[in-house]
Amino acid sequence: MDSKWDAWIDDALPRHSRLTPVVASLIESLLIHARISYLTVSHRTKDRSGVLEKIERKGYRDPASQLTDFSGIRIVVYFESDVKRVSDVIINSFRVDAENSRNREELLSVNETGYRSTHYVCDVGPARSILPEFEGMSDLKFEFQVRTILQHAWAELAHDRNYKLSNSLPREMERQLYLYAGMLEIADRGFDQLSMQIDNYAAKLASDSSDHLMMTNLDSVSLVAFVRRWCDGNGFELESSVERAIPSLLTELSALKIGTAGELNSIIPPSYANVATRIGYTTNIYGLVRDWMLIHDWRRLLDATAIGWTLGTDEECAMLREFLDAEDFEELGRRLDGFNE
């Protein structure tokens, strides 16, 4: 059936289809530049049926100005504090329509739990409107939706129209549903607080005296702090690496009865940094700490742990060749090859 909005949709749909991925790519670049970690940035452009359904459901008389989420970009972050940081990026980078933007949490009464999300309706603003990539799209509005992982989980569970939790439920079941929503909200805030505590702990370790750091028990935060302190003090340029596998290093250190930063410091060869400079050797935190352990007592390390790695390339083994005699190095290689067959 023809609609009186067909001409407007025919004009707007292709422009929004071009706008949405450009804005999504732009916000991803802005988040990376601001060093804000995020789970996903997704986007969608409403199709014709979706536009008409919303016009009818909301009773819009002027959809060109009232329908503000023709283009939608969803940003899912890890912690509540990240929502504020993302919000600041959006406010500083786009022209925000304050009247149509909202924090859904602020709409809840003090005795309510439920859908929480932050929404910003924007356009690209005057500075970007003159850029070629936004030609013909500067008058279009789009919506950012910013959620934490747990807010997103609740929204998906309770608001997906095809899912049973979104249906009208008996009173007691509905009460349980909202109790669980409250638990998610508490967990969300708890994880955020824990994240800030970890950041504060890392900052304290970075500023602690060397003596105090040496007495600190090794964990995923203090190990990284010690290695960075050692590298800075010895002019060793550490290669970047993802630090998710730090627990495996801690397991290996524990097998060598190394539990504090001072104990780790005691096994580092005094000439390690000088030799690395002489041969132009660099590595990441895993290669560095494993070099120290293998040089210290590779037999004990291999006997006490389940090794899931190999020696690597000749370049990666350069420091081991400097500190182990040829016979030991060859035996180490054979042992590791046997572990990984």
Side-chain angles (χ1 to χ4, degrees):
M1 182 183 298
D2 291 339
S3 164
K4 63 179 179 179
W5 308 116
D6 281 347
W8 170 70
I9 294 173
D10 287 341
D11 172 68
L13 182 55
R15 294 197 293 146
H16 275 284
S17 295
R18 288 190 294 121
L19 173 71
T20 309
V22 173
V23 173
S25 178
L26 175 58
I27 192 64
E28 282 200 82
S29 296
L30 292 169
L31 295 178
I32 292 169
H33 180 73
R35 296 185 177 180
I36 299 174
S37 297
Y38 59 90
L39 178 67
T40 59
V41 173
S42 57
H43 61 84
R44 65 99 185 98
T45 304
K46 284 186 181 294
D47 58 19
R48 179 182 298 273
S49 62
V51 170
L52 291 173
E53 185 276 332
K54 186 159 188 178
I55 291 172
E56 181 178 355
R57 176 164 49 87
K58 293 288 188 177
Y60 289 152
R61 295 180 179 274
D62 181 18
S65 62
Q66 292 175 291
L67 194 148
T68 57
D69 65 340
F70 207 133
S71 293
I73 299 94
R74 177 181 295 154
I75 305 164
V76 179
V77 295
Y78 294 97
F79 303 111
E80 284 191 337
S81 54
D82 294 330
V83 173
K84 175 63 168 60
R85 296 178 66 201
V86 173
S87 296
D88 290 341
V89 168
I90 292 170
I91 292 168
N92 292 326
S93 304
F94 302 92
R95 182 161 57 187
V96 176
D97 177 354
E99 183 177 345
N100 288 302
S101 301
R102 63 201 182 278
N103 182 343
R104 292 298 297 266
E105 185 171 10
E106 294 173 355
L107 301 179
L108 295 172
S109 301
V110 294
N111 62 340
E112 286 184 313
T113 59
Y115 173 65
R116 296 180 299 134
S117 188
T118 300
H119 298 247
Y120 289 98
V121 174
C122 307
D123 62 41
V124 297
R128 286 197 176 90
S129 66
I130 62 175
L131 298 177
E133 57 264 41
F134 293 107
E135 183 179 357
M137 297 184 286
S138 60
D139 61 320
L140 301 180
K141 291 187 175 181
F142 46 89
E143 181 176 286
F144 287 114
Q145 185 183 83
V146 190
R147 301 171 173 172
T148 67
I149 292 175
L150 292 184
Q151 289 170 355
H152 182 60
W154 166 252
E156 292 296 293
L157 283 171
H159 292 82
D160 187 324
R161 294 177 189 173
N162 295 319
Y163 197 72
K164 57 190 172 186
L165 294 186
S166 65
N167 297 324
S168 296
L169 297 172
R171 179 181 176 83
E172 180 57 28
M173 292 182 185
E174 191 163 293
R175 180 173 178 275
Q176 290 181 43
L177 180 64
Y178 281 91
L179 283 173
Y180 295 145
M183 292 168 65
L184 282 177
E185 185 172 337
I186 291 170
D188 215 355
R189 294 183 178 179
F191 284 131
D192 192 53
Q193 291 171 1
L194 183 58
S195 172
M196 288 188 280
Q197 289 175 15
I198 293 170
D199 289 342
N200 291 337
Y201 174 48
K204 181 179 182 301
L205 289 174
S207 62
D208 268 349
S209 68
S210 179
D211 288 344
H212 191 276
L213 179 59
M214 291 301 174
M215 293 186 292
T216 303
N217 290 329
L218 290 174
D219 54 44
S220 60
V221 180
S222 61
L223 175 58
V224 173
F226 168 78
V227 170
R228 287 176 176 168
R229 180 84 63 92
W230 184 89
C231 290
D232 290 343
N234 289 275
F236 188 92
E237 187 173 348
L238 193 68
E239 295 175 1
S240 62
S241 60
V242 177
E243 295 173 354
R244 292 175 185 166
I246 292 295
S248 62
L249 283 181
L250 294 170
T251 299
E252 292 162 20
L253 287 165
S254 179
L256 294 179
K257 308 300 183 186
I258 296 170
T260 68
E263 290 168 349
L264 175 55
N265 187 62
S266 70
I267 73 167
I268 302 173
S271 62
Y272 186 94
N274 290 334
V275 172
T277 299
R278 173 171 57 80
I279 67 175
Y281 176 76
T282 61
T283 186
N284 58 30
I285 188 171
Y286 308 109
L288 187 65
V289 176
R290 284 183 176 132
D291 276 354
W292 296 340
M293 290 190 288
L294 290 168
I295 292 167
H296 172 65
D297 195 342
W298 65 265
R299 289 182 176 85
R300 185 176 177 186
L301 178 64
L302 267 58
D303 288 342
T305 58
I307 299 300
W309 41 268
T310 60
L311 285 180
T313 65
D314 287 343
E315 183 179 11
E316 293 168 337
C317 295
M319 289 298 283
L320 294 179
R321 290 183 180 277
E322 291 284 333
F323 287 94
L324 299 178
D325 61 40
E327 185 176 335
D328 268 3
F329 183 82
E330 293 299 325
E331 184 181 349
L332 170 61
R334 289 194 299 272
R335 288 279 301 274
L336 283 173
D337 286 343
F339 275 126
N340 291 280
E341 286 180 353

